[in-house]
Amino acid sequence: MGRRARGRRLQQQPQGPRRPEDVEDGVEGGRKRGDAGWEGGYPEIVKENKLFEHYYQELGIVPEGEWEQFMRALREPLPATLRITGYKSHAKEILHCLKNKYFKELEDLEVDGQKVEVPQPLSWYPEELAWHTNLSRKILRKSPQLERFHQFLVSETESGNISRQEAVSMIPPLLLNVEPHHKILDMCAAPGSKTTQLIEMLHADMNVPFPEGFVIANDVDNKRCYLLVHQAKRLSSPCIMVVNHDASSIPRLTVDVDGRKEILFYDRILCDVPCSGDGTMRKNIDVWKKWTTLNSLQLHGLQLRIATRGAEQLAEGGRMVYSTCSLNPIEDEAVIAALLEKSEGALELVDASAELPGLKWMPGVSHWKVMTRDGQWFAEWDEVPHSRHTQIRPTMFPPKDPEKLQAMHLERCLRILPHHQNTGGFFVAVLVKKSSMPWNKRQPKVQSRSADARETTHPVPVADTVGKPGDSSDLESQTVTETVDTGIMHTAENAENSENKKDGVCGPPPSKKMKLFGFKEDPFVFIPEDDPLFPPIEKFYALDPSFPKMNLLTRTTEGKKRQLYMVSKELRNVLLNNSERMKVINTGIKVWCRNNSGEEFDCAFRLAQEGIYTLYPFIHSRIITVSMEDVKILLTQENPFFRKLSSQACSQVKDLAKGSVVLKYEPDSASPDDLQCPIVLCGWRGKTSIRTFVPKNERLHYLRMMGLEVLGEKKKEGVIVTNESVANSERLEDEDGTEPRAQEAGNPDSAPGCDPAASEPPR
């Protein structure tokens, strides 16, 4: 491009965004900060859209007489909602802390002459683990009690123990009815709040370190996949894998069952598809001015393709939840109706209305019309002119046949309207698979609850699904399935051949076979059974014979292995059999890290806090039982001397050689005022002192659970200051001696004031 052309182009470009109200005020660029309706230099978006109102009034999705309430609710800010995350015992402790400390402080509080509204639980969310509040950020800064509450929320959110999640977004995972043995696919998972709910459900029993089930969380956006990894990592589960694919063509995976390759079908699928988002107007106020029916018309095809792909990969008897944050029937009931029609009875819409008592909902609609961007309406496909056929498709209309429409039971869909429970708008449909899709062959049924029943379920191997003319049930759309499944077989065979070349190495898929975007991920390399690296670890920690060492992996094929990760045996199976067709972003939890000077000790690897809850059940040596007072000392002081611990803990420490240790706190039911959930911490036994390898945000979390209020930190001394430590400062000053520095503690890879667990290199 020449200079003149560039100059003309620059002149034609608008100088910053211009709005109609800017022109009316007569101010170029809208810089009148002092005008009414302006805050922080930005104009207030007018919450009006005549086309939006006309469209939804015409469709009649809001009950008669409630339109004004509906619009008023949309113009109000959305209440903040939070969900207590994590596994059950820890979640209950956080709930206890919230209710008995922070909420009690707010009960009779007044700010600027107005009584503060105490957060309330969501009536339909189980066990009071989700709450909503109308407290704004402005109010939170106006009172010491509110400021403390705000700091608690911020810190616990950083730790992953509390998640800010919109109320309606919590509904789909609850309706999936997940059990620990289920194989789950989350098709459009980022940013990950729903994925974390699914992981929590897998780990319903904290005493089982490796549930039989797993979650494969997928997203098409490579960058958002890393946000998904960050969310999932907070739960430290060995049963989560993050992959990067287009959900509408997500690969069909295979697994090894008794030496045979079998297609992997999922017991539960969450299909929370990309949508126009007009149910989110209360928080995404840009939607007010950008809303048009064109968004829905453009997304309908993609949504239907994603839902169809999900239905194909669902096991018989499995459950799939389809959801959007849109109120538009084109994205909602139209997709469900088209999916049910093409399934020819293979899918059934379930009535899930009674599964969440307390949730207010509206039934799905059975009749709707299609409107173009310029306001032209069409009631049937036959009315659409040929020139519009690329924009409007037959699947956007309700089925013509009244009997077929009635048999679909579209009224079983759930519509959440903003004014009914002060939420965003939402749509959700629950589907159950009764038989294979017409163009697919017979497939395995969903795993049943009992272990015996699961053993009797025999999935059909890939090799057995091609060309059995004698079996009439296998002849549905034979020409289509033979092509698809044969392709899968050949790919599986190629994958097997490539794995024989480098046994146990799951590298990134080759770019020639698949379009890939983003970073090239490191390979996943499983530790061979005869690797000399493992016996010293096994001996040092006295690992149980049942420890699944085959599930250990690293992320490098060359040089020293610095980090060891762990996955469940089911995910190991998935990884080893699908590296050719799947782009894995992340999986596994870190369980051991190499010491910089590991050769000086009996074991070159120290324990990592991230994976300690998974690893602990298998460790029989180097465990120190500590009291609640010991935990307080270990978490607030950098390297406390042995003598500062209780006599019981001190005697255990002195019997151990230098190196990595496990610090275990077991709650005492006879002391209900004490912390009632178990705590497992990684530590280091030095020459004369001991320290914990726990990230700062996790330290603060445990201290709060024990009733301490964190007031600050003395970084040079490596001390966290709490209300209790201030009260006991005189007693502490009377004690002789100073704390040893990190090197004196015998810690080979940390410096004074450094938190190794927080500063470990990323994967």
Side-chain angles (χ1 to χ4, degrees):
M1 188 189 290
R3 261 185 308 182
R4 288 181 183 176
R6 274 200 302 270
R8 281 197 301 272
R9 190 173 174 184
L10 286 168
Q11 286 171 3
Q12 289 165 3
Q13 284 177 354
Q15 300 299 310
R18 292 175 62 88
R19 301 174 176 86
E21 57 266 39
D22 299 346
V23 180
E24 286 168 21
D25 291 339
V27 181
E28 183 65 35
R31 297 287 181 245
K32 281 175 71 175
R33 295 176 66 100
D35 285 0
W38 290 68
E39 190 174 323
Y42 293 95
E44 188 177 325
I45 291 175
V46 178
K47 294 179 180 178
E48 275 186 27
N49 188 309
K50 295 299 179 189
L51 193 64
F52 172 87
E53 293 189 44
H54 169 65
Y55 182 70
Y56 283 118
Q57 278 182 310
E58 183 72 22
L59 290 179
I61 65 156
V62 178
E64 199 173 332
E66 294 183 21
W67 182 260
E68 290 304 317
Q69 291 172 261
F70 170 73
M71 289 305 297
R72 200 180 309 123
L74 280 179
R75 292 186 179 107
E76 289 292 318
L78 190 67
T81 47
L82 57 94
R83 186 172 62 81
I84 299 168
T85 59
Y87 307 135
K88 281 191 175 174
S89 61
H90 284 252
K92 284 177 181 174
E93 282 300 313
I94 296 169
L95 178 61
H96 181 267
C97 183
L98 268 174
K99 288 171 74 172
N100 294 296
K101 183 180 179 184
Y102 294 99
F103 292 167
K104 269 193 175 176
E105 289 180 357
L106 306 182
E107 279 177 3
D108 300 310
L109 186 65
E110 286 191 9
V111 175
D112 295 341
Q114 286 190 331
K115 193 174 179 184
V116 169
E117 191 180 322
V118 179
Q120 296 297 317
L122 295 177
S123 59
W124 46 267
Y125 200 92
E127 301 182 46
E128 289 192 337
L129 292 178
W131 295 70
H132 67 105
T133 173
N134 286 316
L135 296 172
S136 68
R137 289 184 182 180
K138 262 186 184 176
I139 295 174
L140 285 169
R141 294 190 181 96
K142 287 191 173 182
S143 154
Q145 292 96 322
L146 286 172
E147 181 63 28
R148 279 200 295 274
F149 175 51
H150 184 237
Q151 289 302 322
F152 172 81
L153 292 181
V154 169
S155 181
E156 291 299 318
T157 302
E158 285 175 3
S159 305
N161 300 303
I162 283 177
S163 178
R164 278 201 66 176
Q165 183 179 353
E166 195 177 339
V168 289
S169 159
M170 304 174 194
I171 296 170
L174 293 175
L175 292 178
L176 272 175
N177 291 350
V178 170
E179 293 179 26
H181 62 270
H182 283 152
K183 301 179 187 73
I184 307 163
L185 173 64
D186 190 350
M187 299 189 78
C188 310
S193 51
K194 296 182 187 71
T195 309
T196 56
Q197 275 181 276
L198 297 173
I199 298 169
E200 288 163 28
M201 293 169 186
L202 277 185
H203 290 273
D205 185 355
M206 271 190 76
N207 296 318
V208 180
F210 294 102
E212 288 180 48
F214 56 78
V215 178
I216 293 181
N218 173 69
D219 203 86
V220 67
D221 189 320
N222 185 262
K223 288 181 182 176
R224 280 164 63 86
C225 282
Y226 293 96
L227 181 59
L228 184 54
V229 169
H230 173 72
Q231 287 275 49
K233 282 291 159 195
R234 294 168 167 185
L235 288 171
S236 301
S237 170
C239 305
I240 170 74
M241 180 190 289
V242 176
V243 299
N244 180 202
H245 289 280
D246 176 355
S248 64
S249 57
I250 191 166
R252 179 171 287 188
L253 306 181
T254 58
V255 287
D256 185 271
V257 179
D258 300 327
R260 302 188 312 272
K261 287 285 175 73
E262 299 181 359
I263 297 171
L264 171 63
F265 289 95
Y266 300 94
D267 306 310
R268 296 290 185 266
I269 293 181
L270 179 56
C271 190
D272 186 52
V273 295
C275 65
S276 61
D278 58 17
T280 68
M281 281 179 156
R282 299 181 70 177
K283 65 172 184 177
N284 298 326
I285 54 176
D286 271 3
V287 177
W288 282 98
K289 60 178 183 176
K290 292 179 180 176
W291 187 90
T292 166
T293 54
L294 187 61
N295 298 336
S296 299
L297 299 177
Q298 289 174 337
L299 284 164
H300 171 87
L302 173 65
Q303 292 162 338
L304 181 54
R305 288 196 302 276
I306 292 173
T308 304
R309 190 61 179 154
E312 285 176 343
Q313 301 212 15
L314 190 63
E316 285 182 31
R319 179 177 276 218
M320 180 172 92
V321 170
Y322 174 90
S323 62
T324 74
C325 47
S326 168
L327 299 171
N328 199 327
I330 308 301
E331 302 178 64
D332 300 339
E333 287 89 351
V335 173
I336 295 299
L339 185 61
L340 290 171
E341 190 165 13
K342 67 159 69 175
S343 79
E344 297 177 9
L347 297 174
E348 182 186 325
L349 200 51
V350 175
D351 182 1
S353 57
E355 293 184 20
L356 294 178
L359 179 68
K360 292 181 183 176
W361 52 275
M362 293 294 297
V365 297
S366 299
H367 300 281
W368 62 89
K369 296 184 288 183
V370 177
M371 188 179 84
T372 61
R373 188 177 188 174
D374 50 12
Q376 189 178 358
W377 288 94
F378 300 106
E380 294 180 357
W381 167 246
D382 298 340
E383 298 175 8
V384 182
H386 192 75
S387 58
R388 297 274 191 182
H389 280 191
T390 53
Q391 188 185 75
I392 298 173
R393 305 300 303 145
T395 53
M396 295 177 183
F397 295 89
K400 272 186 175 181
D401 186 346
E403 287 185 12
K404 189 182 282 186
L405 182 62
Q406 190 178 357
M408 286 180 179
H409 294 290
L410 292 178
E411 73 280 356
R412 292 177 180 174
C413 300
L414 305 182
R415 284 181 157 269
I416 316 295
L417 298 181
H419 62 293
H420 284 166
Q421 280 182 307
N422 199 12
T423 63
F426 206 70
F427 172 87
V428 61
V430 182
L431 297 152
V432 165
K433 193 168 186 179
K434 311 299 283 184
S435 60
S436 62
M437 300 298 274
W439 56 90
N440 284 137
K441 297 200 171 189
R442 193 174 57 193
Q443 55 181 298
K445 293 183 178 178
V446 66
Q447 292 188 11
S448 59
R449 289 176 185 238
S450 67
D452 295 336
R454 284 200 297 278
E455 285 174 10
T456 59
T457 303
H458 297 294
V460 179
V462 179
D464 294 346
T465 60
V466 180
K468 280 192 179 179
D471 191 345
S472 60
S473 65
D474 279 354
L475 289 173
E476 297 174 36
S477 307
Q478 187 172 346
T479 53
V480 178
T481 41
E482 280 188 358
T483 310
V484 173
D485 289 349
T486 308
I488 291 169
M489 278 181 60
H490 289 321
T491 315
E493 285 164 10
N494 293 340
E496 193 171 15
N497 293 337
S498 66
E499 279 156 22
N500 291 335
K501 293 173 190 173
K502 276 193 174 182
D503 190 34
V505 179
C506 307
S511 55
K512 285 183 182 177
K513 292 191 180 181
M514 189 190 306
K515 253 188 179 179
L516 293 176
F517 303 97
F519 302 103
K520 185 178 180 182
E521 292 297 324
D522 292 328
F524 297 85
V525 187
F526 285 94
I527 307 291
E529 274 195 85
D530 56 353
D531 196 312
L533 171 144
F534 186 70
I537 297 175
E538 189 175 32
K539 183 182 176 185
F540 189 73
Y541 296 103
L543 294 179
D544 194 88
S546 66
F547 178 74
K549 60 183 177 182
M550 290 291 288
N551 300 349
L552 284 174
L553 60 88
T554 64
R555 297 297 301 272
T556 179
T557 51
E558 299 170 357
K560 275 189 175 182
K561 299 173 178 70
R562 300 205 59 79
Q563 325 264 8
L564 298 185
Y565 303 93
M566 195 155 203
V567 293
S568 65
K569 68 175 182 181
E570 289 77 14
L571 277 188
R572 180 183 188 274
N573 194 344
V574 173
L575 265 173
L576 285 174
N577 288 288
N578 299 281
S579 62
E580 288 292 312
R581 65 174 74 88
M582 184 173 63
K583 183 180 180 185
V584 181
I585 298 295
N586 196 285
T587 191
I589 50 167
K590 191 187 302 177
V591 286
W592 278 293
C593 307
R594 184 182 286 274
N595 293 323
N596 290 342
S597 310
E599 288 73 19
E600 297 176 18
F601 307 96
D602 293 335
C603 179
F605 286 86
R606 66 171 175 83
L607 297 163
Q609 183 66 26
E610 181 184 319
I612 191 61
Y613 284 95
T614 299
L615 210 51
Y616 174 74
F618 301 100
I619 298 174
H620 295 309
S621 177
R622 304 196 63 77
I623 299 170
I624 301 166
T625 306
V626 291
S627 66
M628 197 161 102
E629 289 305 312
D630 291 332
V631 176
K632 289 177 185 177
I633 291 167
L634 289 162
L635 293 178
T636 55
Q637 297 180 37
E638 180 89 12
N639 292 299
F641 285 127
F642 297 156
R643 59 183 170 79
K644 288 205 171 184
L645 303 177
S646 62
S647 56
Q648 184 192 5
C650 191
S651 61
Q652 294 175 71
V653 173
K654 286 181 177 176
D655 292 338
L656 296 175
K658 284 197 289 185
S660 192
V661 293
V662 178
L663 301 157
K664 175 71 188 287
Y665 164 75
E666 201 65 61
D668 182 4
S669 54
S671 306
D673 292 338
D674 287 352
L675 186 66
Q676 289 301 304
C677 68
I679 295 178
V680 185
L681 306 173
C682 292
W684 185 270
R685 194 268 195 216
K687 196 174 182 180
T688 57
S689 66
I690 196 164
R691 70 166 293 164
T692 52
F693 277 8
V694 182
K696 183 184 171 182
N697 55 12
E698 206 169 324
R699 286 170 181 255
L700 300 182
H701 161 69
Y702 287 129
L703 290 171
R704 281 197 198 87
M705 293 304 98
M706 290 185 286
L708 298 183
E709 194 176 317
V710 178
L711 304 176
E713 185 181 5
K714 295 180 181 177
K715 289 189 177 179
K716 285 186 179 178
E717 299 170 33
V719 173
I720 293 175
V721 182
T722 65
N723 53 343
E724 193 174 278
S725 64
V726 169
N728 297 332
S729 59
E730 289 181 9
R731 180 177 59 79
L732 292 172
E733 283 172 11
D734 291 339
E735 293 188 15
D736 295 325
T738 56
E739 298 307 323
R741 301 178 73 81
Q743 290 92 334
E744 293 167 0
N747 175 10
D749 56 333
S750 65
C754 167
D755 186 352
S759 60
E760 286 162 357
R763 301 193 175 185

